[in-house]
Amino acid sequence: MKIAVGNDHRGYELKLAVTAALTDDGHEVEDYGCHGPESADYPDFARAVGLAVAAGDADLGVLACGSGIGVSIAANKVPGVRAALCCSLEAAATTRRHNDSNVICFSGDHTAADDAVAMARAWIASAFEGGRHARRVDKITAIEQSLARHDQG
């Protein structure tokens, strides 16, 4: 599976740990930055990962910033992205099964590397269940599409 990863300076170390584990698991990981601990603006990297996922250049995306909230908000601005901030294994698996999330977000300040790796693996291993959940995801997509048409004119 091809996975796009991105982060700001506060998510840098967490991204390195998750990237190493996913690469060891046999996934192709593309790093959209940032590439060091120097201060960096999370919207730039959330946008890049979101665009890669939405365009199909990556199957899934992983993002990290200090709180995880900023990258989640920014990534969700990209049409076609369903980014979820996760703090537990159950949340990570559930967001794939129920929300068909395609980007997972982590807090670099509050998530241990081992926990992020375990959540990323659980998320990747889970599959969208469809059924009643598909109806709800379809409604999210309809909102997104109607607002895009509204913006165009």
Side-chain angles (χ1 to χ4, degrees):
M1 184 171 298
K2 188 168 184 180
I3 301 171
V5 299
N7 57 283
D8 71 358
H9 54 288
R10 287 170 49 203
Y12 177 67
E13 293 297 328
L14 195 64
K15 179 204 57 181
L16 292 179
V18 172
T19 296
L22 296 181
T23 300
D24 287 349
D25 291 348
H27 298 289
E28 179 184 348
V29 179
E30 184 159 350
D31 189 341
Y32 286 82
C34 75
H35 301 291
E38 297 79 24
S39 183
D41 297 335
Y42 64 82
D44 300 334
F45 310 106
R47 180 181 189 273
V49 168
L51 288 172
V53 171
D57 296 332
D59 300 303
L60 298 171
V62 176
L63 289 165
C65 69
S67 67
I69 297 168
V71 289
S72 178
I73 292 169
N76 276 313
K77 299 298 182 188
V78 178
V81 169
R82 288 175 304 283
L85 171 59
C86 292
C87 302
S88 71
L89 284 173
E90 180 59 26
T94 299
T95 191
R96 284 278 286 159
R97 290 192 320 259
H98 293 190
N99 310 121
D100 198 19
S101 63
N102 50 15
V103 175
I104 192 168
C105 302
F106 297 115
S107 166
D109 292 346
H110 304 290
T111 305
D114 290 346
D115 292 339
V117 167
M119 285 186 274
R121 286 176 168 155
W123 178 71
I124 291 166
S126 298
F128 183 51
E129 292 177 356
R132 71 183 190 276
H133 306 297
R135 182 180 73 245
R136 295 166 185 160
V137 170
D138 288 346
K139 287 182 177 190
I140 293 168
T141 302
I143 292 168
E144 186 176 75
Q145 290 172 346
S146 71
L147 294 175
R149 284 191 303 270
H150 181 270
D151 288 344
Q152 291 175 355

